[in-house]
């Protein structure tokens, strides 16, 4: 078997791999991307999920915040993002009232705090999020630059905000402790904490600060912390990156299962039952670090990655009625709809999951893509009043897969999600679910095991492993381009370019950009 060669081999055609390919091929390097699946984009794809239902759902990932405008501009990406008027709606458990955060009506938001008995938290909310906005403005512009040290990051935040204590409140102190000392109301505290728990299994007060890292990435995106809806679905984002990589001249090979990477950077793979070998001066890994270890034939270092979520996709005949008759469903579902995510419910949910049980009720958040972007529905579905819903359940760690088989767990989690939703609706969710052409309800559930099986995410971890700060410790070695850009591995010339890289989580393209910049720095470009 002969070995073909190119400058850069990229293992994995997710959005980060495509980003790196577009930059490197555009700079004149020969680039080949190997993707195991037939479809490009990894977790950032849109698919028609239900038979005969013309709705293209963002099946895995769903919102965009961390994609820098610099990458959009550099690669001339045709990407449109829709702002959401409403930030969130959170029903008070056991009541008909809820907290509505309206980005365009401060008075209405203040009134909503008062309605749920949380007037004292209204000003605290505004102050708190003005502080996270200041963090965003200080830290987000640097995610596409070489890494800075903790000391430099702290000085940047202090000098830009004029608040020397801001760093300690959000970086050094468990975010749950900061939230608990800032707010009084159980609902309000829970809503704020959820940004620290998306895909992260942690207690309300997390001494390991994993929740802090998750929280920080959720509030700095775009320098504002806004989470926007991609017009056309997540597939439109990956489609734009795929077009950029092709236009730049990258070679794209789908249906290619990589089996090993040798010491001299020869990537072996199979396609259509045939074995192939491709050598590169550099190899980029758009897969988890544990997958790299497997491909290199050595044991993974550290604990196994563990995801902590369940995702449920559905198509409805119409939006369901709320127990809160004063609020239109379009407003409630227009932002992030939090259910059973009070501070106390998040605490008991964590305790239950840590003990091996599915939380009851299950903390969930819901997103209605079609309210902001009806283009993902056919004209007929739009006219009928149909909508999509995505539910993201928290505190569902991968360890639950050890308590029952995946089919049983999937069924149990779907039941838990539906029950959680029904607890805040004025009619059963089942009554408004659309049926597909086979008469089946339009609802599907993705467990952490499903993500591992379909996408190769170890333990269903959407970040490929533990999140890291967007800065390094003061004594960390930054002597090489790979280290300076946060994409180094223990192998020279083999770089991470996926979510496992530092600053790599979420649909952002940051890891792909930074891996490309490290190579171009080595090339003297």
């Amino acid at each position: 078997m002969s070995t073909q060669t190119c400058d850069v081999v990229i293992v994995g055609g997710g959005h980060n791999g495509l980003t790196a390919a577009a930059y490197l091929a555009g700079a004149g390097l020969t680039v080949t991307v190997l993707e195991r699946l037939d479809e490009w984009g990894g977790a950032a794809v849109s698919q028609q999920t239900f038979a005969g239902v013309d709705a293209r759902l963002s099946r895995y990932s769903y919102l965009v915040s961390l994609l820098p405008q610099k990458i959009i501009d550099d690669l001339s990406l045709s990407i449109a993002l829709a702002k959401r008027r409403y930030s969130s709606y959170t029903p008070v458990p056991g009541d008909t009232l809820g907290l509505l955060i309206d980005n365009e009506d401060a008075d209405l938001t203040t009134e909503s705090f008062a309605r749920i008995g949380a007037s004292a938290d209204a000003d605290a909310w505004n102050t708190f999020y003005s502080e996270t906005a200041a963090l965003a403005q200080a830290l987000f512009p640097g995610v596409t630059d070489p890494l800075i040290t903790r000391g430099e990051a702290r000085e940047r935040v202090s000098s830009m905000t004029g608040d020397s204590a801001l760093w300690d409140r959000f970086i050094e102190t468990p975010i749950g402790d900061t939230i608990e000392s800032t707010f009084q109301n159980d609902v309000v505290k829970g809503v704020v904490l959820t940004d620290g728990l998306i895909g992260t299994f942690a207690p309300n007060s997390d001494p390991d600060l994993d929740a802090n890292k998750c929280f920080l990435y959720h509030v700095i995106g775009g320098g504002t912390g806004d989470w926007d809806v991609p017009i056309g679905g997540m597939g439109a984002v990956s489609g734009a990156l795929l077009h950029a990589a092709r236009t730049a001249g990258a070679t794209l090979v789908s249906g290619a299962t990589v089996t090993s990477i040798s010491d001299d950077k020869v990537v072996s793979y199979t396609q259509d039952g045939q074995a192939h070998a491709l050598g590169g001066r550099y190899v980029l890994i758009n897969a988890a670090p544990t997958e790299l270890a497997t491909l290199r034939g050595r044991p993974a270092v550290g604990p196994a990655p563990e995801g902590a979520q369940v995702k449920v996709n559905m198509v409805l005949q119409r939006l369901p009625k709320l127990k809160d008759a004063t609020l239109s469903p379009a407003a409630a579902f227009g932002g992030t709809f939090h259910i059973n995510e009070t501070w106390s419910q998040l605490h008991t949910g964590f305790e239950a999951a840590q003990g091996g049980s599915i939380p009851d009720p299950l903390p969930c958040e819901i997103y209605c893509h079609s309210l902001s972007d009806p283009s993902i529905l056919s004209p007929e579905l739009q006219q009928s009043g149909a909508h999509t819903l995505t539910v993201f359940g928290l505190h569902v760690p991968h360890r639950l897969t050890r308590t029952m088989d995946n089919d049983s767990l999937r069924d149990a989690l779907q039941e838990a999600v539906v029950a959680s939703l029904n607890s805040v609706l004025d009619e059963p969710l089942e009554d408004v679910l659309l049926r597909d052409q086979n008469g089946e309800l339009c609802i599907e559930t993705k467990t952490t095991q499903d993500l591992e099986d379909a996408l190769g995410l170890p333990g269903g971890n959407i970040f490929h492993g533990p999140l890291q700060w967007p800065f390094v410790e003061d004594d960390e070695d930054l002597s090489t381009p790979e280290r300076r850009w946060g994409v180094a591995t223990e192998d020279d010339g083999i770089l991470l370019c996926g979510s496992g890289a530092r600053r790599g989580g979420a649909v952002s393209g940051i890891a792909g950009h930074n891996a490309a910049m490290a190579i171009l720095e080595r090339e003297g470009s």
Side-chain angles (χ1 to χ4, degrees), residues 36-50:
R36 175 176 60 90
L37 302 176
D38 293 327
E39 185 174 12
W40 296 90
V45 295
S46 298
Q47 296 171 337
Q48 185 172 319
T49 305
F50 305 111

Side-chain angles (χ1 to χ4, degrees), residues 214-234:
C214 184
F215 183 88
L216 183 65
Y217 283 109
H218 276 89
V219 299
I220 66 171
T224 63
D226 292 341
W227 286 81
D228 300 330
V229 176
I231 300 298
M234 261 318 168

Side-chain angles (χ1 to χ4, degrees), residues 442-457:
C442 292
I443 181 170
E444 71 159 7
T445 297
K446 297 292 186 182
T447 67
T448 53
Q449 188 63 53
D450 291 328
L451 296 185
E452 182 172 276
D453 293 342
L455 301 175
L457 301 181

Side-chain angles (χ1 to χ4, degrees), residues 26 179 326 408 440 450 478 496:
I179 291 168
T326 67
S408 299
E440 300 293 329
D450 291 328
L478 296 177
L496 294 174

Side-chain angles (χ1 to χ4, degrees), residues 7-9 29 265 280-284 493 495 519 522-523:
D7 292 323
V8 185
V9 182
L29 278 69
K265 297 186 286 295
R281 294 192 294 120
Y282 304 97
V283 177
L284 299 188
L495 289 64
I519 288 178
R522 282 186 59 156
E523 292 288 296

Side-chain angles (χ1 to χ4, degrees), residues 351-368:
E351 294 291 323
Q354 192 174 46
S357 300
I358 296 173
D360 182 18
L362 184 67
C364 297
E365 29 202 78
I366 303 107
Y367 310 87
C368 181

Side-chain angles (χ1 to χ4, degrees), residues 283-308:
V283 177
L284 299 188
I285 306 299
N286 186 24
T290 53
E291 177 65 15
L292 171 60
T294 299
L295 295 174
R296 294 285 290 121
R298 59 187 177 224
V301 177
E306 181 179 41

